[in-house]
Amino acid sequence: MTSSALDSTLRLRRVTALIGPYGSGKTELSIGLAQYAAHTLVHPDGPIRRVMLGDLDVLKPYFRSREAGARLLADGVGILAPGGALASSDLPIISAELRGTVGRTDTALVLDVGGDPVGARALGSVSDVLSRVEHDLLLVLNRHRPFMDPLDKVLATAALISGAAQLRITGVVSNTHMMDETTVDDVWWGLELSRQVAAHLGVDVRLLALPDRLLPQLRETAERAGPQGLPPVVTIHRHMMPAFLGGVVFEQTAAPDAFRSLSA
Amino acid sequence: MAGQRLLMKGTEAIAEAAIRAGCHHFFGYPITPQTEIPEYMSVRLPPLGGTYLQAESEVAAINMLYGAGGAGVRVMTSSSSPGVALMSEGFSYLVGAEVPAVIVNIMRGGPGLGNIAPAQGDYLEMTRGFGHGDMHAIVLAPSTVQEAVDVMGLAFDLADEYRNPVVVIGDGLLGQMMEPVSFPDTEPKVFDKPWATTGKAKSRPRNITNSLYLDADQLEAHVRDLDVKFQRMDVEQRAECWMTDDHPEIVIVAYGTMARIAKTAIRQLRAKGLSVGLYRPITAWPFPSRALEPLVEPTRAFLTVEMSLGQLVQDIRAQVGRRRPVSFYGRAGGVVPTVEEIISQVELLHASLAAA
């Protein structure tokens, strides 16, 4: 593993930013990715000594990654987000430490960027420092969301987001889901569009994300991946849950392997 | 595949449902936690030939509804607690001039500027006649994103049917959470609106949208006419009684997202052997008394749970009176009562009933 790789299996770079419209799953993915990185990458003497999650979501007022802060700290992930009472504000604040952290080669950084082109402007504000380091800008795609189907709509959205971020998209994460009602058909249906989007952008589908419970069915139907096979598969554990779905918000969960990468 | 269902935020689903109910005109001003409604409208309405206009204030927005609704088109605005409060004067004008319109209030923590967290502190403000003068309006309180979709079509129909504005209330969680939804494939109902200000035909006198009656007797006659209409709205009562068929010992009363948290608590309480059910108003006004009444006798005690320090509970106490004890549990300021808190409240109540 080199210092520029977040993980050799996932082959993500040290700084990985997740972008995409609301509801594509950036927050859950970024939490899982950061937890996973903290578990697999951090060694006292290794090139990566700490993992930080940067909450750059200046759009949505609830269910933000900063709300999982205590859980993340327990898992060895530091969080970059407005502190104190400002954490619960709807002010477009970007943590001042972000610019410095981007350049630190001993720190793996996962960035959760707010949905849509307006949200991506937050990332654009650090695009000068980001463009000087190896980074990935991954478009997270959930085909069940409004304006994310068909292809031309996704490409238009992607162009706007990438333009606002002033960075080039380097990969696609296929994360088509319907919350608890996701089926394996949804996963395949989403992957089909993700591949088309990736092909148009000249990049790869870098990850296929799905709920843990669907893994057996994905394996059973693996031939649907076609000759190109599956991209690396990751499972997500949901953190951002309303109270009525699972008791106290954000505090239940998470086995360290809540987010796992699987060699497909 | 799966083209029919979408994964949507409550706010987006409300906006899409309004569009499908034939509302192509939106006037509003952004405020958290409902800004996705105007944002969504700003994307969807122009290609439909509709109007999306960000007003300079909530006061302006509600008066734009007065104009558009007076011209007979389906029109709406949305805001959150402090922004909605600014609309109360214009809202009363809509009632006075009998202009149909729909107003969505995604409630946040108050009073004052409060915060952006979910709350239910506007219940009394919305249900007691939101505006000056003798007035009322139907208030719908959905509990899921799908129900929010379903009530939007109803809201526009009721507004047109009664020529009166209709309010839809949801706490911030309902606005911000995402759930799979589907939309009705029915065409919106079309109402004949001979009163609308669409240009004067030679065959009829001028149509005027007006709430000014300088003559006291005339105004009283108008207010009495309106009052007859408000009384007719009583038939619109809607409520859900859940797990009440077996006459549970305790009935929890809650609406909106609070009712969903209560349902989770009830499932867990029933698994522990406690006898608990739920009464959930869907119309906050008219208060659904007819669904509550049959529960009063068989129930030993009621527990009202709210994201406020006690508002809906006033309606419950007014109806139940001294027949049964009505206790209350609430959190305010954007704090949401948890499943565990409700369970412990019910267990305490159960213990006190057993001791009595």
Side-chain angles (χ1 to χ4, degrees):
Chain A
M1 186 185 313
T2 70
S3 64
S4 66
L6 189 57
D7 174 75
S8 56
T9 313
L10 301 183
R11 291 189 296 277
L12 297 177
R13 297 188 194 279
R14 183 178 62 79
V15 180
T16 294
L18 301 178
I19 58 164
Y22 299 125
S24 45
K26 301 175 299 295
T27 297
E28 298 288 7
L29 275 163
S30 63
I31 291 171
L33 204 52
Q35 285 174 327
Y36 174 81
H39 236 75
T40 52
L41 300 187
V42 175
H43 302 290
D45 305 321
I48 298 295
R49 298 164 69 104
R50 63 174 186 166
V51 175
M52 302 288 284
L53 171 58
D55 181 351
L56 264 68
D57 195 330
V58 295
L59 293 184
K60 70 177 192 278
Y62 304 166
F63 308 124
R64 296 180 285 201
S65 49
R66 67 191 70 163
E67 294 169 40
R71 177 72 249 173
L72 285 166
L73 282 175
D75 290 340
V77 176
I79 190 140
L80 285 173
L86 289 176
S88 339
S89 77
D90 50 354
L91 300 170
I93 301 167
I94 297 161
S95 173
E97 290 166 77
L98 177 63
R99 296 182 72 85
T101 308
V102 168
R104 289 192 57 150
T105 53
D106 67 343
T107 303
L109 180 61
V110 179
L111 296 175
D112 175 15
V113 184
D116 91 14
V118 178
R121 269 190 225 161
L123 191 62
S125 72
V126 291
S127 62
D128 56 332
V129 283
L130 260 179
S131 57
R132 290 200 288 269
V133 301
E134 289 206 331
H135 66 270
D136 266 314
L137 183 64
L138 303 183
L139 176 72
V140 184
L141 199 158
N142 177 2
R143 196 175 179 177
H144 277 303
R145 290 282 297 146
F147 316 122
M148 287 307 270
D149 190 36
L151 179 66
D152 57 336
K153 278 193 183 170
V154 185
L155 291 174
T157 305
L160 287 171
I161 290 179
S162 164
Q166 301 167 47
L167 294 164
R168 209 177 70 82
I169 292 168
T170 63
V172 174
V173 178
S174 191
N175 188 37
T176 290
H177 69 94
M178 281 290 244
M179 297 281 188
D180 296 339
E181 297 176 30
T182 314
T183 66
V184 78
D185 286 338
D186 293 324
V187 175
W188 288 119
W189 181 67
L191 180 61
E192 178 197 329
L193 181 65
S194 294
R195 280 179 167 158
Q196 293 169 20
V197 171
H200 271 82
L201 297 174
V203 299
D204 294 327
V205 176
R206 299 283 288 278
L207 297 175
L208 172 64
L210 78 165
D212 216 0
R213 64 180 168 81
L214 290 180
L215 262 183
Q217 291 174 55
L218 187 80
R219 290 209 175 93
E220 283 163 24
T221 55
E223 78 286 348
R224 290 172 69 174
Q228 44 189 320
L230 278 170
V233 176
V234 295
T235 62
I236 330 181
H237 188 105
R238 218 172 135 199
H239 292 73
M240 298 290 135
M241 271 202 281
F244 50 85
L245 289 180
V248 185
V249 192
F250 315 135
E251 287 178 20
Q252 47 99 52
T253 84
D257 65 347
F259 182 93
R260 286 187 290 156
S261 89
L262 306 138
S263 35
Chain B
M1 64 153 276
Q4 290 310 300
R5 298 191 87 205
L6 284 170
L7 181 65
M8 295 184 94
K9 266 191 171 191
T11 40
E12 298 169 332
I14 284 169
E16 181 63 33
I19 293 167
R20 297 196 189 204
C23 171
H24 292 182
H25 305 276
F26 181 95
F27 306 93
Y29 188 84
I31 180 172
T32 309
Q34 65 78 48
T35 298
E36 302 87 351
I37 297 178
E39 187 182 17
Y40 193 93
M41 290 299 199
S42 74
V43 174
R44 284 276 279 125
L45 290 182
L48 295 173
T51 310
Y52 165 80
L53 199 149
Q54 180 171 323
E56 69 269 35
S57 71
E58 289 86 349
V59 175
I62 193 77
N63 283 291
M64 292 172 184
L65 262 65
Y66 185 86
V73 298
R74 287 194 159 179
V75 61
M76 75 173 278
T77 188
S78 64
S79 190
S80 178
S81 308
V84 171
L86 280 167
M87 297 181 178
S88 70
E89 183 211 25
F91 192 84
S92 180
Y93 279 55
L94 291 167
V95 174
E98 299 193 79
V99 175
V102 173
I103 289 90
V104 176
N105 180 5
I106 302 297
M107 297 180 279
R108 60 186 248 177
L113 201 46
N115 63 24
I116 63 172
Q120 296 181 321
D122 304 351
Y123 177 91
L124 289 173
E125 181 195 28
M126 295 290 108
T127 56
R128 272 12 183 212
F130 168 59
H132 59 280
D134 273 315
M135 58 152 287
H136 281 290
I138 293 172
V139 181
L140 300 167
S143 176
T144 66
V145 177
Q146 183 63 56
E147 192 173 50
V149 165
D150 299 341
V151 304
M152 285 309 291
L154 176 66
F156 282 100
D157 287 349
L158 292 173
D160 279 344
E161 188 170 331
Y162 291 102
R163 282 186 65 186
N164 202 59
V166 170
V167 178
V168 177
I169 56 172
D171 50 83
L173 274 172
L174 181 72
Q176 290 302 316
M177 66 176 301
M178 286 204 187
E179 290 186 301
V181 285
S182 55
F183 293 91
D185 51 11
T186 49
E187 285 295 307
K189 263 196 213 172
V190 178
F191 286 75
D192 192 27
K193 297 180 177 178
W195 46 264
T197 53
T198 53
K200 186 190 166 303
K202 279 188 178 156
S203 54
R204 61 161 172 80
R206 284 191 301 160
N207 284 343
I208 301 172
T209 308
N210 173 51
S211 66
L212 177 69
Y213 295 81
L214 289 174
D215 181 275
D217 290 334
Q218 272 188 23
L219 180 57
E220 189 193 29
H222 176 57
V223 173
R224 286 192 185 281
D225 285 347
L226 290 177
D227 195 54
V228 168
K229 185 168 79 174
F230 300 144
Q231 288 176 38
R232 273 202 290 125
M233 291 177 192
D234 191 60
V235 300
E236 305 300 342
Q237 288 187 18
R238 284 170 173 81
E240 179 191 19
C241 296
W242 189 75
M243 294 218 181
T244 55
D245 288 348
D246 58 351
H247 305 309
E249 175 187 48
I250 295 166
V251 167
I252 298 178
V253 179
Y255 72 100
T257 301
M258 211 49 252
R260 302 182 73 176
I261 300 171
K263 280 183 177 179
T264 303
I266 289 167
R267 281 194 197 96
Q268 294 182 22
L269 285 160
R270 286 206 168 226
K272 291 183 180 186
L274 272 77
S275 167
V276 194
L278 175 78
Y279 165 76
R280 174 174 76 89
I282 299 171
T283 49
W285 195 92
F287 177 73
S289 55
R290 281 190 295 281
L292 178 61
E293 194 51 35
L295 300 178
V296 176
E297 281 307 314
T299 302
R300 286 194 67 198
F302 291 88
L303 169 67
T304 305
V305 189
E306 299 177 48
M307 293 179 211
S308 86
L309 294 189
Q311 303 199 5
L312 164 64
V313 68
Q314 295 184 16
D315 282 333
I316 305 302
R317 286 187 173 138
Q319 185 172 347
V320 174
R322 297 188 170 196
R323 292 182 288 170
R324 292 292 179 268
V326 178
S327 50
F328 173 76
Y329 182 76
R331 302 289 303 265
V335 182
V336 181
T338 63
V339 173
E340 289 73 18
E341 286 167 11
I342 297 175
I343 286 174
S344 93
Q345 290 296 315
V346 170
E347 285 175 339
L348 282 172
L349 186 57
H350 173 69
S352 74
L353 291 172

